Amino acid sequence: MAGQKTEAKSAPANGVPLFKSKVTDLDLKLDNEIVYEFGGPIGVVGMMLGFPSLMYYFWVCLEYHQGKLIVPAVFSMDGIKAFFWNDIWAAIAKDACPTWYAAKIYLGYIFISVILAYTMPGPVVEGLPIPSLQGKRLKYLCNGIAAWYFLLVLSAVLHVTGIFRLTEIIDNFGHIMTIAIMWGFFLTTSVYVMSTILGTNHRMSGNFFYDYFMGACLNPRVGILDLKMWAEIRVPWPILFYISLSCALKQYETRGYVTGPAAFMVLAHFLYVNACQKGEECIPTSWDIFYEKDGFMLIFWNMAGVPFTYCYASIYLMKFEQTTGIAITHSWAFTVFLFTALLAAYYIFDTGNSQKNRFRMEQNGSFIVRNTFPQLPYGHIKNPSYIKTAHGNLLLTDGWWGVVRKPHYTADLVMAISWGLITGFGSFLPYFYFCFFLCVLTHRVTRDMERCAKKYGKDWDRYCERVPYIFVPYVF
Ligand code: NDP
């Protein structure tokens, strides 16, 4: 109940006191606070129009101009190719129009992933107390890893038997992207309308555009299926992986082998999907789940933005080879360096997320041991050090979390830049993800730090003194 104090019991097993925290007045206040983000209504309208437009623009650059950025003819400059709007419309009408076949591929995947989310076995974990639900903890069925393995086997069978060749994904990329964009808008609208009808709207600003962007509902659910958690990990990352796999298979079909950079992208995306599924039980305590609402920002970006923009490195490698006949490769030293950087960053990303989330789960009383692959050493800290806050929550100051305040962000960014570097320096597009992600994380850090400073007050100052750097020790 609002206003009740947190209860502390000790859980000697790992030295982390159990805080089955109840919602405080401050939690309620912060959860209901409306602050215009992203430039307010005008900014979000710009983003809702800008994101899909940018996706088409980048797609044209990749598809027809070898990843070179083109400019409208009126701004024509020496050395930079100009385009005419008619050419863009013609390209979209031909190679990115919605088709039934593309709808079958994309929505077929969505359908299968929903069915798997309902039917696959997995543990059920409790989330954090939700202030707007009087402290109720929602339950999450974490069967992502079983669904992921099932999907891998199913797709291998479909490909090998020729029922559905995975190369069809890249052959129909433009069409599928359009279906994903349409689906993103459709799902956002459906969730918004249902939430309004069911009376589950929360933290509404009163401005339709802003609320459509940020979302109306905090936890949309259909039975046991939490739509937000499903959208966060079951859709974007597997589709991204399949796009990269499709590019690599295309190369294999034409060359008879897969080059180092193409294999790198498949590995990079495999690691990301696998990490999300194997550690799914950690996600209910994350900020997206217990604080962010389910609006255009999360839905569109997960349904269309992530899979169809984070894949540019893989597509660029493939297109470059198709148009020049030369596959991009690098020296052994550079290739080994990038593989090492990717794996090292992945290790910190995986164990960093795991250290904090497991610590939080121990505190929350929802910690479970899982043997999903790979369980990396240092992913769970024994008897960790932490700062106890007056709020009741504990702030971890051990492991990677004793080095910087956002170790998982730094590692994620290193992975992101490695996805660009593996393509060389011929195009900006493979670096788009890194640049975009840097902006997202910088903005996220700012929002998060402001919220934590309000929530924890002097304890947050103590924590920042104890862990002074955010991303890189002694630098920033
Ligand atoms: P965090 O995991 O950083 O979660 C932030 C929350 O964690 C804070 O609000 C606070 O919550 C709690 N917290 C912060 N510091 C501590 C601490 N020292 N000890 C205990 N709890 C702490 O945020 P995200 O959800 O943003 O990121 C999760 C992962 O997802 C990251 O690896 C990120 O890179 C990745 N990500 C990837 C994206 C992509 O597009 N590729 C997009 C966004 C995220 P409380 O109020 O409960 O204390």
Side-chain angles (χ1 to χ4, degrees):
M1 292 282 279
Q4 281 192 347
K5 288 230 165 82
T6 49
E7 291 166 7
K9 292 178 202 160
S10 76
N14 193 32
V16 181
L18 183 69
F19 276 94
K20 277 274 186 185
S21 62
K22 301 224 169 83
V23 174
T24 64
D25 289 337
L26 180 61
D27 287 327
L28 259 183
K29 182 170 168 275
L30 290 175
D31 193 51
N32 283 300
E33 201 170 62
I34 297 162
V35 182
Y36 275 151
E37 315 258 5
F38 306 103
I42 295 177
V44 301
V45 169
M47 282 195 236
M48 289 191 281
L49 297 174
F51 280 153
S53 311
L54 202 63
M55 288 168 72
Y56 281 114
Y57 166 70
F58 285 153
W59 169 75
V60 169
C61 294
L62 267 177
E63 188 70 28
Y64 303 100
H65 302 282
Q66 235 187 57
K68 299 264 183 304
L69 297 184
I70 53 177
V71 293
V74 280
F75 302 119
S76 167
M77 284 175 261
D78 281 349
I80 299 188
K81 190 155 181 348
F83 70 81
F84 294 92
W85 290 107
N86 284 352
D87 298 340
I88 299 270
W89 299 132
I92 294 173
K94 180 169 160 283
D95 290 328
C97 59
T99 61
W100 285 116
Y101 186 56
K104 272 201 271 182
I105 296 174
Y106 182 84
L107 297 178
Y109 171 75
I110 296 286
F111 179 73
I112 290 173
S113 108
V114 168
I115 297 293
L116 293 178
Y118 274 113
T119 54
M120 283 284 141
V124 174
V125 300
E126 270 191 347
L128 293 173
I130 309 278
S132 55
L133 298 179
Q134 291 77 45
K136 183 177 173 190
R137 292 163 192 268
L138 297 175
K139 289 189 169 25
Y140 296 84
L141 171 60
C142 297
N143 56 11
I145 195 75
W148 168 229
Y149 288 159
F150 181 89
L151 208 59
L152 285 175
V153 173
L154 177 69
S155 56
V157 170
L158 292 178
H159 181 76
V160 171
T161 55
I163 296 172
F164 176 71
R165 303 280 298 165
L166 293 174
T167 45
E168 293 287 297
I169 298 170
I170 200 63
D171 288 342
N172 289 275
F173 182 85
H175 305 292
I176 302 176
M177 182 178 81
T178 296
I179 297 289
I181 289 173
M182 291 165 68
W183 170 250
F185 277 99
F186 172 78
L187 194 59
T188 306
T189 308
S190 306
V191 171
Y192 188 95
V193 169
M194 282 313 292
S195 171
T196 306
I197 291 172
L198 296 173
T200 50
N201 289 358
H202 172 60
R203 208 191 302 136
M204 300 296 271
S205 74
N207 180 289
F208 168 74
F209 295 108
Y210 190 74
D211 292 332
Y212 184 84
F213 181 86
M214 298 303 283
C217 183
L218 184 63
N219 306 106
R221 294 192 144 210
V222 184
I224 184 81
L225 183 72
D226 186 279
L227 281 179
K228 194 164 57 167
M229 191 150 125
W230 165 79
E232 286 255 309
I233 61 161
R234 305 292 181 95
V235 179
W237 306 106
I239 295 183
L240 178 65
F241 165 74
Y242 279 113
I243 291 172
S244 290
L245 183 63
S246 185
C247 293
L249 287 170
K250 197 87 191 160
Q251 185 179 56
Y252 184 76
E253 277 185 358
T254 45
R255 287 197 166 246
Y257 63 90
V258 175
T259 55
F264 179 95
M265 289 314 303
V266 174
L267 173 69
H269 292 166
F270 175 85
L271 288 174
Y272 217 105
V273 195
N274 198 62
C276 295
Q277 315 303 332
K278 82 176 175 101
E280 189 186 15
E281 75 282 4
C282 298
I283 294 177
T285 53
S286 72
W287 126 293
D288 271 358
I289 298 298
F290 88 95
Y291 179 79
E292 293 286 23
K293 295 190 291 173
D294 203 26
F296 180 91
M297 180 175 76
L298 288 188
I299 297 176
F300 181 86
W301 202 241
N302 283 319
M303 297 296 131
V306 169
F308 294 92
T309 64
Y310 291 11
C311 59
Y312 292 154
S314 307
I315 300 183
Y316 173 73
L317 289 169
M318 187 192 74
K319 284 283 165 192
F320 186 91
E321 185 180 341
Q322 284 175 350
T323 43
T324 63
I326 303 164
I328 293 175
T329 51
H330 307 288
S331 66
W332 272 103
F334 188 64
T335 309
V336 168
F337 165 73
L338 283 183
F339 269 95
T340 311
L342 174 73
L343 293 174
Y346 173 78
Y347 174 71
I348 298 176
F349 165 79
D350 183 316
T351 50
N353 272 308
S354 171
Q355 283 174 358
K356 190 197 72 173
N357 289 327
R358 285 178 168 167
F359 171 75
R360 266 289 153 91
M361 290 170 80
E362 280 175 331
Q363 220 186 123
N364 187 33
S366 59
F367 177 73
I368 49 169
V369 177
R370 290 194 81 186
N371 294 317
T372 49
F373 180 79
Q375 290 299 318
L376 299 173
Y378 204 44
H380 182 208
I381 307 173
K382 304 276 178 225
N383 295 310
S385 65
Y386 53 81
I387 285 180
K388 186 165 185 292
T389 67
H391 172 280
N393 277 349
L394 310 178
L395 294 170
L396 181 63
T397 55
D398 213 332
W400 301 117
W401 297 84
V403 182
V404 284
R405 274 179 256 157
K406 293 287 180 189
H408 53 343
Y409 282 8
T410 310
D412 219 342
L413 284 167
V414 172
M415 289 198 286
I417 199 156
S418 76
W419 299 6
L421 289 171
I422 198 68
T423 67
F425 299 98
S427 165
F428 159 74
L429 289 182
Y431 293 88
F432 166 76
Y433 168 52
F434 171 75
C435 297
F436 172 80
F437 196 36
L438 185 63
C439 299
V440 168
L441 290 187
T442 310
H443 180 248
R444 225 170 145 91
V445 165
T446 317
R447 284 173 83 200
D448 192 40
M449 299 272 163
E450 280 171 11
R451 203 181 60 84
C452 287
K454 282 186 202 162
K455 182 168 174 179
Y456 298 122
K458 286 203 168 61
D459 295 318
W460 185 251
D461 297 338
R462 259 193 321 133
Y463 168 68
C464 294
E465 270 171 36
R466 166 70 185 79
V467 189
Y469 296 99
I470 300 177
F471 288 119
V472 183
Y474 304 107
V475 179
F476 180 68

